[in-house]
């Protein structure tokens, strides 16, 4: 890395990064010592993190795509969500085959329900799926291949016919590049005349929630002739009929496959014919389909690809039937001559259609009405989906690839871009649903903890930036509608609860402001303003003594009702009040804006004075209850300045003394982050295993002052949370550290999570908390937002960039209300050039703001046209006000030269 952050040297000295080895701990020795001590275990997280400065520096390097290799045994756990949003869980494996097939609307908890045994430091304990079973013993792809599916390549060369299946055992090397939403898999073998490159994943187009919700996976298979002579090459794909796969018996009926041919595609449609038409539909009643994009292919409705033979590539028939208990496989094959050194590409679509809502959700009218899913209302079966994708392939797949290229074509490190985005894949699992009436709904983790829980989902930043229409609808339909009580309280699980949660209430108000910012105009705000005020008034009323610090005992995300004034909840409510103030000002509701402003000022002042202990923010006990009940009290809590973290995500600036905020973050680094959680979890037992010995992470709550009974006099089961590493909270802190200029710490913490999910250990695409693909982990995208210093307000046409490093040569993607594209800033010949290129949709701008170098003059150009503008400076920042708004279309460029 050429440019070093200006605070780097000071940081290395303060944080103890000048030593090259980890501070040595003898965990067994610690455990023996502590067992003899009265009271709580001693704090044993080293202040000196023992990190090699060269390694820290390397985190800034651009690097290469994250690549996992067969030769390193890194493929067996990989499961990238490869379908559409809210269409079930279909995993793309490390060798390119699909697995898991969680598309049947079953109520299993997690991707692999199981209980495993784990030593928590004191004894062997059973660990359920929601407790981290899949973290301790990750699911292996070969154990979950529910449907037969795959591709094979046949090459005729030098009088020989050679066949290889696209699977791990058939190739000398396979390289899986972990770029979501489209992964690249490279197959190579010195004895095979072609190399194969597969690009696979779902249709994923930011801002287009409709097309991104297609129940399908696309395979683009490229074959490169690496010989000096032409070769005849064929590719064949096959898919088992998935109808009634789980519940099928011989008495129920028969499966059938039908070949469909069209000028634009060839398909094998797989369905089921019941023996008794009046029989009730099973949850796995539905259809699957294999489609080839193009007409030059042979369809085989009853393929027999095992063992592989040339017949797989040449057979053809139009229909086939099997008894339900029998496997029925359809295939499609195509052939083409490949000149020496050239490539060919063949595109396939695998689609499914199972339109029966999960009965576990029977409190939802969307389920009890049997209306089904959004994709089920739009398409009549899997063949209909395949036909739509094939006929619109250039647009759908092209825009998916364009987004993938746009996102990763940046100056930020590859590993960082991967980790901060990939959790959006949660939306393409059975963790989320979109019902026929358009309503979005989600678990916390797959089939665990229902109700699109406000105090979990409010941490997630990804969906709002990628698919803002889904978030706006959820705020309006659910939070301000179904879930809102007469007094303004928002029930934190909607139909599945009866109470508000205070952090969920505040977080929802903040999300409403974010959703307003990600709108093209102020319609969303105006339509919902009365209910937004109602929700805000409820939150303000929870400050019983009028000091601006919430003190009403209410549920929070740690599943308990805490007493007293709790910094992280107080600060979150201050942030929400600030958001409400800003919305009130936009609505010209000055009276309410003044009410919120007074709360913000009073709360911030009192929080600084009464909840800051000189190092970090604390939990002040209730004056009557004292410390009888569970709380964080004088401990160092991971979310203590979460409100300010949220403020950075929506461009609200400091809410209280920024130096005290940074001191609190430095305390979290000092007291809660450890490069090896082993010694801590061995002595602080009761938590769930979301980080194991030898892995780094940030502990939820620590007791650096070694107080007796630090968490109250009568602790409950929730105390176990305090000793864990939950990645969603860690991402929140990383995003905040990044925003406050603590870039080293932010990258180290993010990298610790990234390394915990290395494919050699477990599935890189599945961050686990309470079950798989936990929603809170989508907080990771907030760290990307902070790294770019990105702020946006669609109705105002405002956009800001303030890169946290490499500001002289920076490039990154952005998403806005109606379009997305690339932002770049470069220093050339004494000038700083800012460019905004729209690649999809449109972007309306009126005001631009940039951090860093400013000059005496600036020039704004829209293509070749100069745009009149006013310029102002504040310190090193520059603001540009265009005299009239501009709407930049896809392919157009706006440039500001300073």
């Amino acid at each position: 890395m050429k440019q070093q952050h200006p605070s780097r040297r000071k940081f290395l000295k303060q944080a103890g990064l000048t030593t090259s080895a980890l501070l040595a701990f003898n965990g067994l020795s610690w455990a023996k010592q502590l067992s003899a001590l009265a009271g709580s275990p001693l704090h044993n997280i080293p202040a000196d993190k023992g990190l090699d400065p060269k390694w820290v520096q390397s985190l800034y390097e651009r690097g290469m795509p994250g690549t996992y290799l067969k030769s390193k045994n890194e493929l067996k756990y990989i499961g990238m969500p490869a379908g559409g949003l809210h269409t079930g869980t279909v995993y793309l494996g490390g060798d390119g085959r699909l697995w898991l097939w969680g598309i049947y609307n079953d109520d299993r908890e997690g991707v692999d329900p199981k209980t495993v045994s784990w030593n928590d430091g004191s004894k062997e304990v059973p660990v359920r799926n929601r407790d981290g079973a899949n973290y301790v013993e990750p699911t292996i792809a070969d154990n979950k291949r529910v449907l037969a599916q795959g591709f094979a390549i046949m090459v005729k060369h030098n009088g020989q016919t050679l066949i290889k299946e696209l699977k791990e055992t058939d190739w000398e090397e396979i390289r899986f590049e972990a770029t979501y939403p489209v992964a690249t898999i490279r197959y190579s073998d010195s004895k095979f005349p072609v190399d194969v490159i597969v690009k696979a994943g779902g249709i994923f187009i930011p801002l287009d929630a409709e097309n991104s919700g297609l129940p399908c996976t696309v395979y683009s298979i490229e074959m490169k002739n690496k010989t000096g002579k032409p070769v005849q090459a064929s590719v064949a794909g096959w898919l088992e009929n998935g109808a009634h796969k789980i519940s099928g018996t011989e008495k129920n009926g028969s499966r059938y496959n039908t070949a469909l041919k069209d000028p634009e595609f060839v398909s094998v449609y797989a369905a089921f014919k019941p023996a008794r038409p009046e029989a009730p539909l099973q949850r796995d009643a539905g259809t699957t389909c294999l489609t080839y994009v193009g007409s030059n292919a042979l369809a085989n409705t009853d393929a027999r690809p095992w063992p592989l033979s040339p017949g797989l590539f040449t057979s053809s028939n139009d229909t086939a039937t099997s008894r339900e208990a029998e496997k029925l496989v359809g295939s499609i094959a195509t052939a083409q001559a490949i000149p020496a050194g050239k490539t060919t590409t063949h595109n396939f679509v695998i689609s499914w259609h199972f339109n029966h809502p999960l009965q576990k959700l029977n409190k939802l009218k969307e389920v009890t009405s049997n209306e089904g899913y959004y994709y089920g209302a739009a398409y009549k079966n899997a063949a209909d989906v395949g036909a739509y994708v094939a006929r619109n392939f250039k647009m759908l797949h092209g825009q998916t690839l364009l987004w993938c290229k746009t996102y990763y074509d940046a100056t930020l490190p590859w590993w960082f871009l991967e980790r901060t985005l990939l959790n959006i894949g949660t939306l393409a699992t059975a963790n989320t649903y979109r019902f026929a009436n358009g309503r979005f709904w989600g678990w916390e983790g797959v089939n665990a903890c229902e109700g699109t829980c406000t105090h979990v989902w409010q941490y997630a930043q990804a969906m709002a930036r990628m698919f803002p229409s889904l978030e706006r609808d959820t705020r309006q339909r659910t939070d301000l509608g179904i879930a809102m009580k007469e007094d303004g309280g928002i029930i934190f699980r909607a139909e599945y609860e009866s109470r508000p949660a205070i952090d969920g209430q505040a977080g929802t108000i903040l999300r409403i402001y974010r959703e307003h910012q990600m709108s093209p105009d102020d319609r969303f705000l105006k339509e919902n303003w009365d209910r937004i005020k109602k929700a805000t008034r409820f939150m303000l009323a929870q400050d019983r003594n009028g000091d601006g610090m919430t003190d009403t005992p209410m549920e929070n995300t740690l599943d308990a009702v805490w007493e007293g004034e709790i910094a992280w909840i107080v600060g979150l409510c201050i942030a929400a009040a600030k958001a409400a103030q800003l919305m009130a000002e936009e609505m010209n509701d000055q009276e309410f804006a003044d009410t919120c402003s007074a709360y913000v000022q009073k709360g911030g002042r009192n929080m600084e004075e009464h909840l800051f202990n000189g190092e970090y923010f604390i939990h002040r006990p209730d004056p009557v209850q004292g410390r009888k009940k569970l709380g964080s009290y004088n401990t160092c809590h991971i979310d203590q300045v979460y409100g300010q973290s949220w403020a950075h995500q929506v461009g609200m600036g400091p809410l209280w003394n920024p130096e005290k905020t940074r001191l609190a973050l430095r305390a979290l680094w000092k007291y809660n982050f450890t490069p090896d959680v082993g010694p801590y979890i061995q002595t602080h037992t009761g938590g769930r295993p979301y980080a194991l010995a030898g892995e780094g992470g940030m502990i939820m709550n620590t007791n650096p002052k070694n107080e007796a009974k630090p968490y109250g006099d009568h602790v409950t089961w929730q105390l176990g949370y305090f000793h864990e590493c939950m990645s969603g909270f860690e991402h929140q802190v990383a995003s905040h550290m990044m925003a406050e200029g603590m870039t080293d710490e932010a990258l180290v913490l993010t990298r610790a999570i990234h390394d915990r999910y290395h494919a050699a250990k477990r599935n890189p695409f599945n961050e686990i908390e309470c079950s798989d693909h936990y929603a809170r982990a989508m907080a990771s995208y907030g760290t990307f937002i902070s790294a770019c210093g990105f702020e946006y307000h669609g109705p105002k046409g405002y956009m800001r960039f303030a890169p946290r490093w490499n500001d002289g040569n920076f490039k990154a993607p952005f998403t806005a209300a109606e379009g997305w594209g690339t932002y770049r800033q470069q220093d050339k010949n004494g000038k700083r050039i800012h460019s905004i290129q729209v690649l999809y949709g449109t972007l309306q701008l009126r005001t631009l703001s940039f951090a860093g170098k400013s000059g005496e003059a600036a020039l704004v150009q829209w293509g070749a046209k100069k745009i009149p503008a006013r310029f102002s400076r504040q310190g090193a920042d520059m603001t540009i006000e265009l005299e009239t708004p501009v709407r930049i279309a896809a392919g157009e460029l706006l440039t500001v030269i300073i």
Side-chain angles (χ1 to χ4, degrees), residues 687-749:
R688 295 167 295 180
Y690 301 139
L692 302 178
E695 299 174 341
M698 182 169 281
I699 304 295
M700 291 286 293
N701 262 79
T702 65
N703 179 24
K705 300 183 184 302
N706 288 316
E707 289 188 354
K709 298 184 178 181
Y711 305 112
D713 296 333
H714 303 291
V715 298
T716 53
W717 61 268
Q718 294 94 336
L719 173 63
Y721 293 162
F722 293 3
H723 303 328
E724 297 172 359
C725 290
M726 294 192 248
S727 69
F729 294 96
E730 293 171 292
H731 285 306
Q732 178 275 120
V733 172
S735 74
H736 194 180
M737 288 176 164
M738 184 70 74
E740 298 284 354
M742 298 172 64
T743 55
D744 282 344
E745 296 93 330
L747 290 177
V748 169
L749 179 52

Side-chain angles (χ1 to χ4, degrees), residues 153-167:
I153 308 296
M154 181 176 73
V155 177
K156 293 182 178 179
H157 179 63
N158 289 339
Q160 291 183 301
T161 298
L162 305 173
I163 300 176
K164 280 189 179 293
E165 189 176 339
L166 298 186
K167 66 178 183 180

Side-chain angles (χ1 to χ4, degrees), residues 387-454:
Y388 174 76
V389 176
R391 289 183 176 128
N392 298 277
F393 190 80
K394 185 176 180 180
M395 180 271 288
L396 295 170
H397 194 233
Q399 290 176 345
T400 299
L401 293 178
L402 177 61
W403 165 252
C404 203
K405 181 179 185 298
T406 300
Y407 182 74
Y408 292 104
D409 184 14
T411 56
L412 292 164
W414 274 97
W415 73 265
F416 179 80
L417 290 166
E418 290 164 6
R419 182 51 50 189
T420 52
L421 177 67
L422 60 79
N423 286 307
I424 191 73
T426 292
L427 302 181
T429 71
N431 190 21
T432 69
Y433 299 87
R434 195 176 184 193
F435 298 109
N437 62 6
R439 181 185 175 186
F440 172 85
W441 191 96
W443 301 92
E444 292 183 24
V446 174
N447 274 351
C449 305
E450 57 272 275
T452 327
C453 178
T454 61

Side-chain angles (χ1 to χ4, degrees), residues 104-105 283 354-361 366-373 433 435:
Y104 294 112
N105 312 311
R283 61 178 170 80
F354 294 88
N355 195 32
H356 307 289
L358 184 66
Q359 292 305 307
K360 189 176 181 179
L361 305 180
E366 286 84 359
V367 171
T368 55
S369 63
N370 290 318
E371 293 177 355
Y373 296 121
Y433 299 87
F435 298 109

Side-chain angles (χ1 to χ4, degrees), residues 207 468 472 517-521 792 794-795 815-819 842-843:
L207 308 185
R472 283 196 300 270
Q517 292 183 329
M518 284 296 292
S519 300
D521 52 42
Y792 174 72
T815 58
E818 298 175 287
T842 64
L843 173 66

Side-chain angles (χ1 to χ4, degrees), residues 32-63:
K32 288 181 178 178
Q33 292 176 45
L34 291 171
S35 66
L37 296 174
S40 301
L42 293 177
H43 180 75
N44 60 343
I45 289 177
D48 183 338
K49 308 307 175 186
L51 303 178
D52 185 345
K54 291 181 180 179
W55 176 79
V56 175
Q57 184 96 348
S58 74
L59 300 180
Y60 290 82
E61 296 171 1
R62 171 67 172 150

Side-chain angles (χ1 to χ4, degrees), residues 43 193 204 211 262 285 455 717 749 760 846 864 866 869:
H43 180 75
F204 185 98
N211 283 318
D262 182 273
H455 63 48
W717 61 268
L749 179 52
R846 180 68 182 263
K866 293 183 179 179

